Amino acid sequence: MFTKLSLITEIAKRDRRCKLNNLIHILDDENLKECFKMLKKNKASGIDGVSIEEYNKNLNENVKDLVKRMKQLSFRPNPVRRVNIPKANGKQRALGIPTVEDKLVQMGISKILEAIYEVDFEDFSYGFRPGKSCHSALDKLNKVIMTKPINHIIDADIKGFFDNIDHKWMVKFLEHRISDKMLIRYIGRFLKSGIMEDGKLIMSEKGTPQGGIISPILANVYLHYVLDIWISRIIKKKCRGVVEIVRYADDFVICVQYKDEAEIILKALKERFKKFGLELSEDKTKIIEFGRYAKENVKRKNRRPDIFNFLGFTHFIDKTRKGKFKLGRKTDSRRFKIKVKEMNIWLKSIRNQVKAKEWWKVLQAKLRGHFQYYGVSGNYRSIKSFYYITIRLVHKWINRRSQKKTYNWKRFLEYLERYGVPQPKIHHNFYTAYSY
């Protein structure tokens, strides 16, 4: 499969206007079995109740039958099973669970789309792409603000992006690069597969499949045509000042040199999105003054400098030890509170379920994961705070396993030293020579 996908990439790279055909035939028995190995194990089953383990028992026969149905165009995706998961803030998060067979086909199609569109996607698009991550996006944002004359930020928020993708426009965008009618048809079937909730079928008139493996690449294709090339090929050329954008999935910020151009871009952006069935959230979208000279400018206006949130971090105007401008960042306070609440709920629920030595490894993994994500330049104070709060919560709940307290602080610290927990650490350094 890798060889065939590499060939597709070479053709797509050689001719940026080329439309590729005969793509669906890549999803044969052997290649679909390769895709099956990529699926995450121990996941919940879809509406058919078939687990990955059960599907694997007769994998050869199951895949052979699937390929046969796909060639006959009789394969139809099942509705996604929707379950609501309680969140730490009291709300619920809708989770979509496709069937194993649907995940398998989506994995194959997403690999084909990735092979085609990776050569087209703009460099400032970071979400769900090989070799790129949210930390790559944060690093890029740091470089843009630190090295270019940025004075204003368009902090934009798309209202319910994944639920409002227009299916007709989605198909039109795909047809720019794909002439395989069968592949387009199957993507259309996934878009319209619907949702099953509490025994009721809800048809999909717009949006991408909930929980679908194919959703991230489709979202990137949609915003590539709606936003990315519009910024790079039209907006940048028309503006007299610097305009830069950093996007991770549907989360993006536009950095602009001049305020009047920022206002024009935002107004045009609203009209552009409206054309393609999208809408900016009015209460969350704004233009802020931000950059090297913003602090002095707002001081004259007798107000505090503006801040903005991006990828779980609050960005603010900071200064180096020498008093020079620096982009500062810390964990978004809302995210911080949610993470602390989630840790508290988990510790409370687990303390009497299993022995401490069993859940201690999970605690270590949770702390390690938190530090690996939030451990970025300038954010040491936040991750250190999270560490100390977690340690106090562990001490609190480990002493509530029975009516009698078992650990004073001295004994607890000895326990910590013996079994250990990950220490707060900066994993991603964005501050280089240009910062100073």
Side-chain angles (χ1 to χ4, degrees), residues 138-380:
L138 290 167
D139 189 28
K140 175 64 176 179
L141 180 64
N142 190 75
K143 285 183 172 69
V144 167
I145 293 176
M146 291 299 300
T147 62
K148 299 193 176 184
I150 302 301
N151 298 309
H152 297 87
I153 300 286
I154 300 175
D155 183 13
D157 181 86
I158 307 176
K159 190 184 292 184
F161 169 68
F162 285 92
D163 295 329
N164 289 293
I165 288 177
D166 186 283
H167 291 174
K168 290 182 179 179
W169 278 114
M170 184 79 258
V171 170
K172 285 181 181 179
F173 294 151
L174 290 169
E175 287 175 342
H176 280 297
R177 281 300 231 160
I178 300 169
S179 59
D180 188 330
K181 299 296 182 183
M182 192 178 291
L183 180 63
I184 295 289
R185 181 178 293 186
Y186 276 124
I187 293 173
R189 286 183 181 181
F190 276 112
L191 290 171
K192 297 182 182 300
S193 58
I195 299 163
M196 186 69 74
E197 185 176 14
D198 298 328
K200 295 181 180 178
L201 177 62
I202 305 168
M203 298 308 296
S204 304
E205 299 298 328
K206 55 184 178 179
T208 57
Q210 280 196 357
I213 295 171
I214 200 174
S215 292
I217 183 71
L218 290 180
N220 270 339
V221 170
Y222 201 83
L223 283 177
H224 171 72
Y225 288 104
V226 173
L227 177 63
D228 296 355
I229 60 175
W230 178 71
I231 290 284
S232 61
R233 299 179 190 178
I234 298 175
I235 297 300
K236 281 189 175 185
K237 291 179 179 179
K238 287 186 176 180
C239 291
R240 68 185 188 281
V242 173
V243 176
E244 296 288 345
I245 178 173
V246 179
R247 179 174 72 81
Y248 187 91
D250 61 326
D251 199 357
F252 66 94
V253 289
I254 303 175
C255 306
V256 188
Q257 184 173 359
Y258 299 115
K259 186 178 181 181
D260 61 331
E261 292 188 332
E263 291 170 345
I264 292 169
I265 291 169
L266 181 56
K267 184 179 178 181
L269 183 62
K270 290 177 181 179
E271 292 299 316
R272 175 81 177 172
F273 275 10
K274 186 178 180 181
K275 177 181 177 180
F276 297 101
L278 300 176
E279 183 182 358
L280 288 176
S281 176
E282 290 293 336
D283 55 333
K284 294 181 181 179
T285 300
K286 57 186 180 297
I287 297 173
I288 64 169
E289 187 172 2
F290 197 96
R292 196 171 298 275
Y293 307 107
K295 194 169 185 177
E296 289 73 18
N297 292 340
V298 297
K299 195 179 288 184
R300 290 195 293 269
K301 300 173 185 176
N302 198 27
R303 65 178 180 85
R304 297 178 66 180
D306 293 318
I307 60 175
F308 69 94
N309 294 324
F310 184 59
L311 298 180
F313 294 90
T314 297
H315 293 75
F316 58 92
I317 295 171
D318 200 2
K319 61 182 179 181
T320 67
R321 292 176 184 176
K322 296 180 180 179
K324 294 183 179 181
F325 167 73
K326 179 178 74 174
L327 174 62
R329 65 187 64 77
K330 62 180 180 179
T331 307
D332 179 354
S333 59
R334 185 179 62 85
R335 290 272 191 101
F336 187 89
K337 290 175 184 176
I338 289 172
K339 291 295 180 183
V340 168
K341 190 171 182 180
E342 286 175 347
M343 180 64 78
N344 187 47
I345 291 171
W346 177 75
L347 287 167
K348 182 181 178 181
S349 66
I350 202 69
R351 73 190 192 279
N352 288 322
Q353 298 291 327
V354 292
K355 292 181 180 179
K357 65 178 182 180
E358 293 182 32
W359 60 258
W360 199 262
K361 292 180 181 179
V362 182
L363 172 66
Q364 291 173 328
K366 285 178 178 287
L367 280 172
R368 198 177 300 114
H370 187 90
F371 299 151
Q372 284 174 350
Y373 185 83
Y374 291 101
V376 304
S377 300
N379 197 38
Y380 185 75

Side-chain angles (χ1 to χ4, degrees), residues 113-158:
L113 295 180
E114 186 180 286
I116 298 169
Y117 284 98
E118 269 303 308
V119 302
D120 290 349
F121 288 154
E122 300 288 339
D123 289 339
F124 53 73
S125 168
Y126 290 89
F128 310 112
R129 295 183 60 191
K132 296 198 172 191
S133 67
C134 52
H135 296 107
S136 306
L138 290 167
D139 189 28
K140 175 64 176 179
L141 180 64
N142 190 75
K143 285 183 172 69
V144 167
I145 293 176
M146 291 299 300
T147 62
K148 299 193 176 184
I150 302 301
N151 298 309
H152 297 87
I153 300 286
I154 300 175
D155 183 13
D157 181 86
I158 307 176

